Amino acid sequence: MSHDSTAAPEAAARKLSGRRRKEIVAVLLFSGGPIFESSIPLSVFGIDRQDAGVPRYRLLVCAGEEGPLRTTGGLELTAPQGLEAISRAGTVVVPAWRSITSPPPEEALDALRRAHEEGARIVGLCTGAFVLAAAGLLDGRPATTHWMYAPTLAKRYPSVHVDPRELFVDDGDVLTSAGTAAGIDLCLHIVRTDHGNEAAGALARRLVVPPRRTGGQERYLDRSLPEEIGADPLAEVVAWALEHLHEQFDVETLAARAYMSRRTFDRRFRSLTGSAPLQWLITQRVLQAQRLLETSDYSVDEVAGRCGFRSPVALRGHFRRQLGSSPAAYRAAYRARRPQGERQTDPDAGASRALAPAEAPTALPPENAVPFQTRRTATPIPAGAASVPGQRSPAP
């Protein structure tokens, strides 16, 4: 799923300054950045594939600080350009940042601000969003990053509307993506925006990846908590919720356990986790249902009850919205993928019951079988928002 915002028409209409060229892409590298993420824009924009029908970009690889730049496995890189080269680029990509808790070099942030002021498109892949946020380029904007780092981004930069569900967010002149593979998704989106579907499709075939992926990051979320919450009094309430997902309780129950009003609890919870408590609770229940479907032979109705859903209908609705499949289809596809004879048991069940082979396994549809839909919103959706503004989310 992508988020293509129309909230900033003025930004989208801005023109490049005279010295910048639309076809020039500058990639800003820092020491300590992972090599895989760093290589994505180099491969997409730096290789001549005109023979395959892909228009050529001019790539500038720029060091964001003095080198050599050390990366994954102790490798050392020497970038051929420095920060001054960014002044010629129509697009500037920050593929990664080495630490989500340390500030980037101020010289690099100044270069990004100038590029944006002069009309350049600024792109942050994965943890590169932290560099854009430190430069102030995400203030008041929707953005995403790897789901594991989204709570930290939301806490460190509260003016950024972090949505950990998206694969990438296109807000016109500033774009961000989730983790590793989502960086490829965003780069393909940029090619599609610049040169159309045919060029993006040709590039996707060369890279052997889907031209468009549907869905978001929901299926990858786990139940771990951000490190920052560990010492907070709210951590006890969150831990209790995770241990009692099989019971039917709501956010009011959690707020009461925290001795807070619902409004105060919502605000405090969002500041710590980057997610609204209702959406977080629904996500945890769906994740628990996912585990039971994989590791037990409970019926879907039983799974719903054991995950705290008020009815099987509620489970099916939330499960499909988060994972793009019905619970029954998910279980059938999971069993079909398991090697013959490999069985798991539900560790929480009183009697260990092995998974029975599916009578008629039905594989999930391929990711690109569902028509791609670009979600447009005039109002940025805060991190973990449960529904469209003005509407209440269904009870879990």
Side-chain angles (χ1 to χ4, degrees):
M1 180 185 297
S2 73
H3 175 163
D4 188 357
S5 175
T6 56
E10 292 183 3
R14 291 191 304 127
K15 294 183 179 180
L16 285 173
S17 67
R19 59 179 175 173
R20 296 183 180 273
R21 296 291 179 267
K22 183 178 180 180
E23 71 276 8
I24 297 180
V25 177
V27 176
L28 188 57
L29 300 180
F30 297 97
S31 187
I35 195 168
F36 190 97
E37 285 82 352
S38 300
S39 70
I40 290 172
L42 304 184
S43 178
V44 170
F45 302 113
I47 298 177
D48 186 353
R49 297 187 177 93
Q50 294 181 88
D51 61 322
V54 182
R56 185 174 184 180
Y57 290 87
R58 291 178 55 196
L59 180 70
L60 301 176
V61 183
C62 307
E65 56 194 339
E66 292 188 6
L69 309 177
R70 292 175 176 80
T71 183
T72 310
L75 296 176
E76 290 190 351
L77 306 177
T78 302
Q81 308 284 345
L83 287 172
E84 69 284 349
I86 292 178
S87 63
R88 292 182 278 151
T91 298
V92 181
V93 182
V94 184
W97 173 238
R98 59 175 168 264
S99 171
I100 62 174
T101 58
S102 65
E106 191 59 37
E107 295 82 358
L109 298 181
D110 287 340
L112 288 172
R113 296 184 190 107
R114 284 195 300 271
H116 183 253
E117 291 170 357
E118 295 177 359
R121 176 173 51 189
I122 312 297
V123 181
L125 307 182
C126 194
T127 53
F130 284 82
V131 180
L132 273 58
L137 301 182
L138 297 181
D139 289 352
R141 292 177 178 264
T144 194
T145 187
H146 192 293
W147 60 264
M148 188 166 62
Y149 306 130
T152 303
L153 182 64
K155 182 178 180 181
R156 288 178 63 84
Y157 303 99
S159 61
V160 181
H161 302 294
V162 182
D163 192 338
R165 299 167 298 178
E166 302 289 359
L167 289 177
F168 65 83
V169 172
D170 179 347
D171 197 42
D173 56 343
V174 178
L175 303 86
T176 51
S177 81
T180 306
I184 301 175
D185 294 323
L186 180 50
C187 289
L188 284 173
H189 171 74
I190 291 172
V191 174
R192 185 180 300 111
T193 300
D194 290 348
H195 302 292
N197 286 324
E198 188 173 344
L203 177 57
R205 287 191 294 274
R206 276 294 184 94
L207 297 176
V208 197
V209 296
R212 300 176 187 261
R213 285 199 297 164
T214 59
Q217 295 191 77
E218 293 96 334
R219 70 190 72 182
Y220 308 110
L221 298 173
D222 72 10
R223 64 190 291 166
S224 61
L225 300 173
E227 294 180 2
E228 294 90 339
I229 200 175
D232 193 274
L234 207 60
E236 184 177 343
V237 175
V238 173
W240 180 91
L242 292 173
E243 293 173 0
H244 293 79
L245 289 175
H246 58 284
E247 301 177 10
Q248 289 187 12
F249 60 86
D250 52 22
V251 178
E252 281 75 10
T253 302
L254 299 180
R257 291 189 67 87
Y259 302 100
M260 298 179 184
S261 68
R262 171 63 188 271
R263 183 174 181 179
T264 300
F265 181 80
D266 282 5
R267 183 173 64 252
R268 182 67 177 154
F269 191 95
R270 188 187 293 274
S271 71
L272 284 171
T273 69
S275 174
L278 177 59
Q279 184 59 42
W280 177 86
L281 181 57
I282 292 172
T283 298
Q284 300 309 315
R285 294 197 190 281
V286 169
L287 289 170
Q288 180 69 359
Q290 187 180 1
R291 295 185 188 97
L292 289 180
L293 291 167
E294 294 173 354
T295 61
S296 79
D297 56 357
Y298 294 128
S299 69
V300 173
D301 288 12
E302 288 178 306
V303 169
R306 288 174 175 270
C307 296
F309 286 102
R310 301 185 187 280
S311 70
V313 173
L315 166 61
R316 291 186 180 96
H318 289 301
F319 198 95
R320 183 175 291 279
R321 274 190 289 274
Q322 291 201 22
L323 298 177
S325 169
S326 70
Y330 177 87
R331 167 178 274 170
Y334 178 83
R335 291 180 176 179
R337 293 194 300 268
R338 303 296 291 179
Q340 190 73 18
E342 183 179 346
R343 298 165 183 261
Q344 289 184 311
T345 56
D346 174 18
D348 298 321
S352 295
R353 300 187 288 177
L355 284 172
E359 295 180 1
T362 304
L364 287 172
E367 286 186 312
N368 57 359
V370 182
F372 177 82
Q373 295 180 344
T374 300
R375 178 159 60 82
R376 295 180 178 271
T377 173
T379 303
I381 299 178
S387 60
V388 178
Q391 297 181 356
R392 296 187 62 186
S393 173

